[in-house]
Amino acid sequence: MRYLHCAFGYLLLVAGARARHSKLFTSQPAFADYPFPTISIECTELGPSGTYLDKDHTSEGAGLIPALSWPSPADDTVEYLLISEDPDAPIPESVTHGIYYRIPRDKTGVQHPDFRIKKKSWEPYMLRGGFKYGKNRQDSVYVPPSAFFGQGPHRYFFELVALNDSIETDNMSVLATRGEVHREIIGKVAGWGEWVGVFESP
Ligand SMILES: *[C@@H]1O[C@H](CO)[C@@H](O)[C@H](O)[C@H]1NC(C)=O
Ligand SMILES: *[C@@H]1O[C@H](CO)[C@@H](O)[C@H](O)[C@H]1NC(C)=O
């Protein structure tokens, strides 16, 4: 069953790629020079991109963000940004489940504890992983995938973006929005990669 799920998820990825990719963060103008992924992202706790999320990675369980890993940074990488989004919601825009920025260049992955809020930080919205989170639809660190009855499977994209210059936070809200983050990375994108988890209400 798990194998079937995985294979189906992969087909969905291939079939849906063309139709729905335009909603994704990585389809926006900042990525004009990078239409295809350049960084390989792994999720050893769940499996290859296109795998179905297990219960603990959805709102029905612990609601964990998949732990991801990637290779050492390219020479020009200054920092990373990570976004989690669902382009398959039946609305015109992709739903942002989480957005994380100023991820230090020396990180080659993110683990569950990285996403806990850092208390007593002089900077608001700081996480223990040493980076900040931006605005999702609940103003929380992460909104785990939840059931949408009768909609079929949704794909949850986790996109890591390498930047060759740091994000300027002066003109962003304190809880930065997806649009503000996009505006601030124009001319700074130096590569990206993605991992996709699939979830369908049981
Ligand atoms: C912030 O926005 C103002 C007005 O658009 C602009 O003049 C300024 O250069 C921007 N600052 C940064 C750091 O981008
Ligand atoms: C970052 O990369 C872009 C090309 O994507 C380039 O135009 C820009 O000059 C680079 N910035 C730095 C600081 O190297």
Side-chain angles (χ1 to χ4, degrees), residues 77-88:
T77 300
V78 169
E79 64 184 33
Y80 293 102
L81 141 75
L82 177 69
I83 181 166
S84 162
E85 59 175 329
D86 167 15
D88 294 329

Side-chain angles (χ1 to χ4, degrees), residues 43 45-46 52-67 112 142-146 156 158 195 198-199:
C43 178
E45 65 175 348
L46 288 169
Y52 267 70
L53 297 170
D54 64 10
K55 189 175 169 192
D56 272 343
H57 291 82
T58 72
S59 64
E60 287 162 28
L64 299 170
I65 302 182
H112 305 146
Y142 180 61
V143 181
S146 53
Y156 296 86
F158 293 84
W195 183 90
V198 180
F199 179 56

Side-chain angles (χ1 to χ4, degrees), residues 33-34 164-165 187-189:
D33 292 340
Y34 290 91
N164 67 7
D165 200 356
K188 299 177 180 175
V189 172

